[in-house]
Amino acid sequence: MTFHKIITSAANDEMKSLARLLDNARERRKQQLLVLEGLHLLQAALDAGLPLHAVYVNEAAQQHPEWLALQSRIDRAVPCSLVSTAVLAKVTALATPAEVLVLCPRPQGSAAQQEAAVLLDDVQDPGNMGTILRCAAAANVRQVYLSKGCVDVYSPKVLRAGMGAHFVLQIHEQADLVAELARWPGARLATHLEGSVSLYSEDLRGAVAFVFGNEGKGVSAPVLAACDRRVRIPMPGHAESLNVAMAATVCLFERVRQGESAAPGAT
C-alpha cells in the first residue's frame, strides 16, 4: 500500500484531533465520529460496509499478516497514513498502541420490526455495556435502547468490549425508556429481585423487551413501573446478584434456548 502521508510528530493536527476524539465523548457526538482501535474492529467495520474516513497504521504493524489481508478491502479514496509507534502511544490510552486506528462515522440507529429488544437503564461500566451488546448480537437481538444516563456506547472501551457488535445492531442513544416500553407490542420484562418470578417460568418466545438496570441501583422506579413483569435468575449458591452483563447473557440465551426447543425437529 502507498501511504498518503507519514506522521512522526504528536503535534500533527490530525493526531491532535484523533486524541480529542478518543478522550472526549462530547467531541465524538459533536463531530458524529468514532475511532476504532485494532484490526478486529477494522475487519468488523468493513464486513458491515461502514464507510471509513481515514486509517492510521502503526509503523510496527506494516507487515502484520491481518493488516496485509485487510488493506486490499479499503477503498483507495480513503486516506491511509503511516504513524510512528511513539506518536500513537501519546494519542491512545492503551498500554501498547493498536495496529491501526480508524476514523469512521457514528452509526445512526433506525427502528425496525424485531421480535426482541434490550433496554439499558443507566448502565455505566464500559465493559458491561460492550459485553451486553456482544451478547445481544450473538443472540440475534438487534434493537438496543440506551437511557440518557448510560455510558457513551461509542467510547473506545465499549467498542473494544463489543468486538464489532456495534455494527450489526440498531443502537438508539438517549432513549426515553418509558415511552419505548409504552410502544412495545409484546412482553416487557425487567430483572428485579423483589416481587419477581423465575426467569425460567416465563415464555420468552415472540415479542419480548428485556430491561436491565444500573450496576448499583438496578432498574429505576419509572422504568420498572412501565414493565409487565419482574423476573429473577434463580441462584442456589452464595451470591446476592449477578453482574448486569452476566444477567443479560443468561436472559437472552434462555430466550435462544426456548426458541431452539420449540423449533421443528427439536428433541
Side-chain angles (χ1 to χ4, degrees):
M1 167 177 280
T2 301
F3 293 103
H4 288 67
K5 63 177 68 173
I6 297 175
I7 300 174
T8 58
S9 171
N12 176 278
D13 287 342
E14 288 184 60
M15 293 297 101
K16 289 181 179 179
S17 177
L18 202 60
R20 286 194 298 271
L21 286 168
L22 282 167
D23 186 57
N24 194 301
R26 182 176 296 179
E27 189 70 19
R28 290 191 292 271
R29 288 197 179 95
K30 177 183 176 181
Q31 296 194 39
Q32 288 296 294
L33 293 172
L34 54 90
V35 184
L36 310 179
E37 296 180 280
L39 292 167
H40 181 85
L41 287 178
L42 170 59
Q43 180 175 339
L46 290 170
D47 290 345
L50 196 69
L52 309 182
H53 284 190
V55 177
Y56 301 95
V57 182
N58 187 335
E59 64 177 354
Q62 295 181 74
Q63 300 305 314
H64 193 293
E66 288 184 55
W67 164 245
L68 295 175
L70 288 174
Q71 61 180 257
S72 62
R73 298 177 58 189
I74 299 173
D75 191 305
R76 291 187 178 183
V78 177
C80 293
S81 302
L82 186 66
V83 186
S84 73
T85 304
V87 169
L88 286 181
K90 294 180 180 179
V91 170
T92 181
L94 295 176
T96 302
E99 302 89 353
V100 295
L101 276 73
V102 181
L103 193 62
C104 59
R106 196 180 183 96
Q108 301 298 317
S110 61
Q113 198 66 28
Q114 286 285 325
E115 285 196 339
V118 167
L119 288 80
L120 302 182
D121 189 8
D122 291 5
V123 171
Q124 295 179 344
D125 180 80
N128 285 338
M129 176 66 76
T131 300
I132 293 170
L133 296 181
R134 190 176 178 187
C135 173
N140 199 31
V141 176
R142 300 303 177 91
Q143 296 293 325
V144 179
Y145 296 86
L146 311 177
S147 71
K148 293 179 181 180
C150 282
V151 65
D152 177 23
V153 71
Y154 293 110
S155 75
K157 289 183 179 179
V158 177
L159 283 164
R160 290 196 298 271
M163 296 289 286
H166 290 72
F167 309 132
V168 298
L169 298 172
Q170 293 295 329
I171 299 174
H172 309 272
E173 298 180 85
Q174 301 194 22
D176 182 337
L177 299 190
V178 172
E180 294 299 338
L181 287 167
R183 287 190 285 266
W184 184 254
R188 294 162 290 190
L189 307 181
T191 51
H192 197 73
L193 293 178
E194 297 178 7
S196 56
V197 299
S198 170
L199 171 73
Y200 304 123
S201 69
E202 292 293 305
D203 184 350
L204 303 179
R205 296 167 296 178
V208 181
F210 294 93
V211 182
F212 304 103
N214 174 268
E215 289 84 351
K217 299 177 182 178
V219 180
S220 63
V223 175
L224 195 60
C227 294
D228 299 318
R229 295 188 295 284
R230 304 176 182 187
V231 297
R232 66 179 183 277
I233 298 167
M235 294 179 290
H238 298 283
E240 290 185 3
S241 63
L242 291 177
N243 168 282
V244 64
M246 295 177 65
T249 300
V250 172
C251 291
L252 295 180
F253 278 93
E254 172 60 13
R255 184 176 188 275
V256 172
R257 187 198 67 78
Q258 291 186 15
E260 292 287 336
S261 298
T267 57

